[in-house]
Amino acid sequence: MTDTNITKVRLGGEGPEVGVQGLGCMGMSFAYGPTDTGEARATLDRALELGVTLYDTADVYGMGENEKFLAPFVKAHRDEIVLATKFALAIDPAEPTKRRIDNSPEYIRASIDASLRRLGTDVVDLYYMHRRDPDVPIEETVGVLSELVAAGKIKHVGLSEVTGAELRAAHAVHPIAAVQSEWSLFSRDIERSVVPTAAELGVALVPYSPLGRGFLTGSFTHADKELGEDDFRRQQPRFTGENATANAALLAPVRSVADAHGASLGQIALAWVQQQAAVHGLPVVPIPGTRRPARVEENTAATRITLTDDDLALLNPIAADVAGNRYADMTFTSAGRE
């Protein structure tokens, strides 16, 4: 290992060992506008060189296209990586802004087979329930996932956007390796019940959008003015109108801490998330997304930044002042059911 490689951590008591930072692959073919395919593939390779081993996708990203995009990389590095994908969210091609959730046993079984075909592999290392349908008992859903483990189609079970109570009920049926939810300087609602429950049960947290979908890096300030029509951040309340103006002002303490460390805004935002592992006593493996090798280098370097108590005193209050919800419809999130 070189001094630029990230360290490793285990996802839960029985989960796989992974680099302490993963890679969210969604944006390589979905949600954030046009992609340079060659640069995106170079990003996958550079991430692996730096010790990133957890690669995250979902069947809904581009309606299967993101899984297909990853297939050649998976084939070339199958024994080196931990592959995570998800089921449960479906998008109507005729109305892409509308989503439905399906946790039925039939849908789960069909979804894993379809994902395996698209990914070109016979097993998924970590299979997440992407969103929870409250009308389907979570014990039933996890029971089906346990059957998939026994069948050799998946190795470990994960959940996304569940409450602490839902995690506890699920874990009683089958060990849960990881919970994926939004967690960042701007989004801390999971600290109410999900994080303490995960710490108690020995479940890892995999924060998605640890950079606030790029807003915490300062790369944009008003989604509706600066981002393309096909960028889904234009639909999120925090990044448009008066909310965006108010939230951009909240980056001042992040800049102050970044200047003190000679780091970028994004590195400080990631360092804060990484440091929550020590704060809350559980494995934390954020999955920032990017399509550029240089950004992977910047992001992984954040794992070597240690924030001081004074830094944390400046950063911790930010979330309480954020304007707007993280989604227009919060019923899809754990916070919407707590």
Side-chain angles (χ1 to χ4, degrees):
M1 180 187 297
T2 70
D3 59 4
T4 59
N5 280 115
I6 61 175
T7 59
K8 294 182 178 181
V9 68
R10 188 167 297 282
L11 292 181
E14 301 178 16
E17 186 178 62
V18 297
V20 76
Q21 186 181 111
L23 182 64
C25 300
M26 179 182 77
M28 292 180 174
S29 56
F30 175 68
Y32 292 113
T35 296
D36 181 323
T37 301
E39 188 171 42
R41 294 203 180 283
T43 300
L44 295 171
D45 292 334
R46 184 62 178 137
L48 187 58
E49 289 172 353
L50 292 168
V52 173
T53 55
L54 177 61
Y55 291 80
D56 184 272
T57 183
D59 58 359
V60 74
Y61 299 160
M63 290 178 282
E65 290 304 312
N66 196 241
E67 290 181 324
K68 293 178 183 177
F69 170 81
L70 284 177
F73 178 76
V74 171
K75 181 179 180 180
H77 302 286
R78 192 65 193 92
D79 295 336
E80 303 169 76
I81 67 170
V82 172
L83 177 63
T85 192
K86 315 176 192 76
F87 72 92
L89 269 180
I91 293 178
D92 183 350
E95 297 185 76
T97 60
K98 291 191 175 182
R99 300 180 296 177
R100 66 180 177 85
I101 303 173
D102 195 334
N103 289 171
S104 67
E106 298 78 16
Y107 185 83
I108 298 170
R109 295 186 183 106
S111 293
I112 185 59
D113 288 343
S115 285
L116 290 172
R117 285 194 300 272
R118 286 189 293 263
L119 288 162
T121 186
D122 58 359
V123 63
V124 166
D125 300 302
L126 179 59
Y127 198 45
Y128 288 102
M129 180 189 75
H130 205 163
R131 292 293 187 271
R132 165 101 165 93
D133 178 359
D135 293 330
V136 177
I138 198 164
E139 295 87 350
E140 178 180 315
T141 299
V142 177
V144 175
L145 294 173
S146 181
E147 293 173 7
L148 296 181
V149 173
K153 294 184 178 183
I154 68 176
K155 291 183 180 180
H156 303 284
V157 175
L159 305 172
S160 181
E161 290 288 359
V162 292
T163 66
E166 290 165 349
L167 171 58
R168 191 179 301 279
H171 196 71
V173 176
H174 186 90
I176 303 301
V179 170
Q180 186 173 137
S181 192
E182 188 165 354
W183 198 8
S184 72
L185 285 171
F186 269 23
S187 300
R188 299 182 60 183
D189 52 78
I190 67 168
E191 293 174 30
R192 289 197 295 268
S193 75
V194 183
V195 171
T197 303
E200 175 192 338
L201 298 175
V203 176
L205 249 295
V206 176
Y208 70 81
S209 298
L211 295 172
R213 304 190 188 280
F215 194 87
L216 285 165
T217 70
S219 61
F220 73 98
T221 54
H222 287 82
D224 46 344
K225 298 177 182 178
E226 301 170 48
L227 304 180
E229 292 289 341
D230 56 352
D231 195 307
F232 91 121
R233 287 171 290 187
R234 292 168 61 100
Q235 305 166 21
Q236 295 185 295
R238 290 181 173 174
F239 308 141
T240 60
E242 294 181 357
N243 286 348
T245 300
N247 292 335
L250 298 178
L251 297 182
V254 187
R255 288 193 178 90
S256 176
V257 174
D259 288 344
H261 284 268
S264 68
L265 297 182
Q267 285 177 322
I268 296 304
L270 281 173
W272 181 88
V273 175
Q274 303 274 182
Q275 209 152 319
Q276 299 312 298
V279 172
H280 295 279
L282 78 171
V284 175
V285 181
I287 48 169
T290 184
R291 300 174 286 192
R292 296 166 51 195
R295 190 68 74 188
V296 168
E297 294 167 4
E298 177 184 335
N299 290 347
T300 54
T303 66
R304 296 183 288 279
I305 297 174
T306 300
L307 301 174
T308 68
D309 289 343
D310 288 343
D311 294 335
L312 295 174
L314 287 173
L315 299 171
N316 285 338
I318 291 174
D321 295 325
V322 172
N325 287 325
R326 50 193 178 97
Y327 288 104
D329 181 359
M330 288 292 285
T331 61
F332 285 85
T333 71
S334 59
R337 295 193 302 278
E338 284 189 332

